[in-house]
Amino acid sequence: AQSVTQPDIHITVSEGASLELRCNYSYGATPYLFWYVQSPGQGLQLLLKYFSGDTLVQGIKGFEAEFKRSQSSFNLRKPSVHWSDAAEYFCAVGNFGNEKLTFGTGTRLTIIP
Amino acid sequence: DVKVTQSSRYLVKRTGEKVFLECVQDMDHENMFWYRQDPGLGLRLIYFSYDVKMKEKGDIPEGYSVSREKKERFSLILESASTNQTSMYLCASSLFRVGQPQHFGDGTRLSIL
């Protein structure tokens, strides 16, 4: 069965600092991977996805993520965070032949001035 | 843009009541999903549907049922609400195609008293 681990429950960064949120997945074949963001009281918004091809993918709001097969990772990065990036971030994995996604437990991001 | 609309943002019901949560999507998506979200547990799939009148159990279907009579509408039913069903409920939809992301509604925060 596929699984997703987001090892950091809560991260605090200063505004303007760089950010990396970790995501590790467990699945035998090539997965497809997503990052979503959830602002308080809202649903999930898609930031970016990896399906195939270039392992560095660009998303909305200045985010990017890199798929590393050897490390089973799909970490999310942003070079300079803004106060509006404070939210909860979820990594999700899917696989061919299965319409369902498996979500990580999320990482809550706090931005300090 | 895909629009997934959940009928209520906040709902308060009493133990033993029959509760209906409604979800409508406007993009002719084949797949629709119901999740519940609890702190520290991420998103857990309750049920999903890949076509009208078709449904499959997710990871935590106990105490819930679903109905999909029309392609655009997917209802979650709590047959006899209990306090442990107090949670945030999220509806999502996606195309029936490999690698497609799920699009989420804003959620219904349900309290069972």
Side-chain angles (χ1 to χ4, degrees):
Chain A
Q2 61 196 24
S3 66
V4 179
T5 302
Q6 293 181 248
D8 303 305
I9 295 173
H10 184 203
I11 284 182
T12 300
V13 299
S14 299
E15 191 169 13
S18 63
L19 172 70
E20 182 168 27
L21 301 182
R22 295 182 292 165
C23 172
N24 293 96
Y25 66 90
S26 172
Y27 179 64
T30 301
Y32 50 90
L33 296 146
F34 305 92
W35 274 100
Y36 286 86
V37 60
Q38 184 181 34
S39 298
Q42 303 294 316
L44 275 67
Q45 181 184 18
L46 179 69
L47 282 176
L48 48 79
K49 71 174 186 179
Y50 171 78
F51 179 60
S52 65
D54 194 347
T55 56
L56 183 64
V57 294
Q58 303 296 322
I60 62 170
K61 306 186 181 191
F63 286 93
E64 67 177 27
E66 187 170 12
F67 171 62
K68 292 186 177 179
R69 185 191 304 276
S70 61
Q71 299 176 21
S72 297
S73 69
F74 188 57
N75 294 348
L76 182 71
R77 299 195 294 250
K78 187 170 185 177
S80 176
V81 298
H82 185 262
W83 64 266
S84 60
D85 293 324
E88 189 148 24
Y89 292 79
F90 291 92
C91 181
V93 63
N95 65 82
F96 292 83
N98 187 344
E99 302 299 312
K100 295 182 280 188
L101 297 180
T102 299
F103 286 83
T105 51
T107 297
R108 184 162 61 94
L109 176 64
T110 298
I111 309 294
I112 55 176
Chain B
D1 267 2
V2 177
K3 184 72 175 174
V4 179
T5 304
Q6 294 185 230
S7 54
S8 305
R9 292 297 303 275
Y10 302 94
L11 206 53
V12 181
K13 296 291 182 180
R14 297 208 172 273
T15 302
E17 281 193 70
K18 191 169 186 176
V19 180
F20 293 85
L21 301 183
E22 307 286 345
C23 176
V24 176
Q25 51 94 4
D26 67 355
M27 284 301 292
D28 204 35
H29 284 173
E30 293 85 2
N31 297 331
M32 296 190 75
F33 306 83
W34 275 108
Y35 295 90
R36 65 176 282 176
Q37 182 180 18
D38 299 289
L41 298 178
L43 277 71
R44 293 180 291 167
L45 181 66
I46 304 172
Y47 268 98
F48 90 98
S49 168
Y50 51 91
D51 201 353
V52 174
K53 297 190 186 295
M54 307 302 288
K55 61 185 179 185
E56 280 196 23
K57 293 180 180 179
D59 301 317
I60 52 164
E62 297 77 19
Y64 302 94
S65 63
V66 290
S67 172
R68 192 162 181 205
E69 297 295 320
K70 294 185 177 182
K71 190 175 184 179
E72 68 272 17
R73 186 179 296 271
F74 192 35
S75 303
L76 180 69
I77 303 155
L78 287 66
E79 296 289 344
S80 177
S82 64
T83 54
N84 63 12
Q85 293 177 309
T86 291
S87 186
M88 170 74 107
Y89 290 87
L90 292 167
C91 175
S93 71
S94 71
L95 285 169
F96 189 77
R97 198 180 304 159
V98 170
Q100 292 301 304
Q102 293 180 14
H103 300 268
F104 285 82
D106 285 338
T108 296
R109 186 162 294 283
L110 175 64
S111 297
I112 306 295
L113 304 179

